[in-house]
Amino acid sequence: MKILSIAAIKGGVGKTTLTFNFGEWLAEKGNNILYIDLDHQCNLTQTYDIYDSENTVKNIFTNTGKVNIHEIKENISLIAGYMKLDAIEKDLENKVNKDMILYMWLEDNYEHLKLDKFDYILIDCHPDFSTATRNAIAISHSIISPIIPSEHGYNAKFNIEDRLQDFKKEVINYQTRESYITANLFFVANMIKHNTKSSKELLEVLNDDPDVIGIIPEKELFNRSTLDKTSISTMKKDNKIYLKQKKFFNEIENTFSNIQKSI
């Protein structure tokens, strides 16, 4: 099993859209996927028409009982988000192990929830570095952070890099001084327009960065996929759409393949 957090400090970078489509793509390849929605906006959860208020991720952080693992499709499952998760985070502020709650939950529930059946766990994080996001990173093997062409888009890259380094120094084994935080951080350039100055400048800066493992062109059908509740993998099966957008579908295939290899 591989655990992947999709995280960003800056909002509006296509984080949930990337999570949704990459998970659907992995499932299409025959992998068994579990989504965990830690964004209190719950966009990923609602993409699958789930509107739970009970047995959500809230119960992971409050130790009040079970969570429901919704079987969306044959090989896609989801633990629903909770819209007041930010309030739960505030209540945890003074808890000693607040950043390792998800880690402990995973250890306690791995066998009886049969989590070993999943090939990938994808965690959609809120655009910040608060408690829930730190919990996700604590259990992750890799982090994917989307970057977009904007005035502050590239600065967000340095922001999350610095936050991650500080986090690794904080959460350590005091005997060995080794960090419990072992996730590798990667970046995906998203919403790239090949005919704009900002996109060209971003790609030039990222060109030699080995941690940048994918580029996703600006396309309305990709940006709207969560709103339309239809993944790129599903769209591709429509021959008319595929032929019209063949170049884009091929670019997405290459990017997702590279992400899978890198993580």
Side-chain angles (χ1 to χ4, degrees):
M1 176 197 288
K2 292 185 178 179
I3 303 176
L4 175 66
S5 287
I6 295 80
I9 304 299
K10 176 181 170 55
V13 297
K15 177 182 52 58
T16 300
T17 304
L18 177 59
T19 308
F20 169 62
N21 281 290
F22 184 53
E24 289 267 344
W25 181 87
L26 287 170
E28 186 71 23
K29 301 295 181 183
N31 298 288
N32 202 6
I33 306 303
L34 173 65
Y35 292 116
I36 300 178
D37 191 352
L38 291 188
D39 188 342
H40 53 73
Q41 296 177 74
C42 298
N43 291 334
L44 180 62
T45 299
Q46 293 174 8
T47 296
Y48 288 108
D49 291 321
I50 295 172
Y51 298 89
D52 287 2
S53 58
E54 301 294 332
N55 299 332
T56 67
V57 296
K58 171 188 176 182
N59 287 1
I60 294 175
F61 292 95
T62 57
N63 297 315
T64 54
K66 68 175 185 178
V67 297
N68 286 340
I69 298 181
H70 295 271
E71 293 186 2
I72 308 295
K73 302 177 183 178
E74 183 180 355
N75 52 352
I76 294 181
S77 299
L78 178 139
I79 299 176
Y82 181 64
M83 285 193 170
K84 297 181 181 179
L85 187 58
D86 56 336
I88 301 295
E89 289 180 291
K90 290 178 182 177
D91 291 340
L92 295 171
E93 200 60 43
N94 296 319
K95 192 176 180 70
V96 176
N97 294 323
K98 64 179 180 179
D99 293 327
M100 302 298 285
I101 294 171
L102 183 56
Y103 185 101
M104 293 185 287
W105 177 87
L106 193 65
E107 287 287 321
D108 293 342
N109 293 276
Y110 189 83
E111 290 188 9
H112 89 86
L113 289 180
K114 299 178 180 178
L115 297 179
D116 60 333
K117 70 181 180 181
F118 296 108
D119 299 300
Y120 292 87
I121 295 179
L122 303 186
I123 308 174
D124 188 24
C125 302
H126 192 65
D128 55 27
F129 210 81
S130 61
T131 300
T133 300
R134 289 158 68 98
N135 269 266
I137 289 171
I139 68 167
S140 293
H141 299 101
S142 300
I143 307 160
I144 299 292
S145 189
I147 310 171
I148 63 171
S150 70
E151 182 181 354
H152 304 293
Y154 190 59
N155 290 336
K157 177 179 184 293
F158 295 112
N159 194 337
I160 194 169
E161 285 175 331
D162 290 344
R163 299 286 189 96
L164 180 60
Q165 287 305 313
D166 290 342
F167 189 33
K168 286 182 176 181
K169 293 173 184 176
E170 290 173 20
V171 186
I172 63 171
N173 181 316
Y174 292 108
Q175 287 184 320
T176 66
R177 304 299 195 271
E178 292 182 0
S179 179
Y180 289 112
I181 312 304
T182 58
N184 296 310
L185 177 60
F186 299 104
F187 299 92
V188 171
N190 192 23
M191 304 181 190
I192 300 299
K193 298 179 180 179
H194 295 293
N195 60 344
T196 64
K197 182 180 178 182
S198 59
S199 290
K200 289 178 181 178
E201 288 177 346
L202 180 62
L203 291 178
E204 286 176 5
V205 172
L206 299 177
N207 186 47
D208 296 323
D209 192 328
D211 294 330
V212 178
I213 58 174
I215 297 172
I216 299 176
E218 169 75 19
K219 278 289 180 182
E220 186 64 15
L221 81 167
F222 185 78
N223 297 336
R224 284 192 55 85
S225 59
T226 48
L227 293 173
D228 296 337
K229 303 180 180 181
T230 305
S231 71
I232 292 298
S233 297
T234 300
M235 293 180 202
K236 190 177 180 180
K237 296 175 184 177
D238 186 320
N239 195 50
K240 186 176 180 180
I241 296 176
Y242 175 72
L243 291 175
K244 187 176 180 181
Q245 303 287 348
K246 186 175 180 180
K247 183 175 182 293
F248 172 74
F249 283 118
N250 289 340
E251 290 174 324
I252 285 290
E253 180 73 24
N254 290 335
T255 290
F256 283 175
S257 294
N258 197 43
I259 293 174
Q260 185 183 25
K261 290 174 186 176
S262 300
I263 62 175

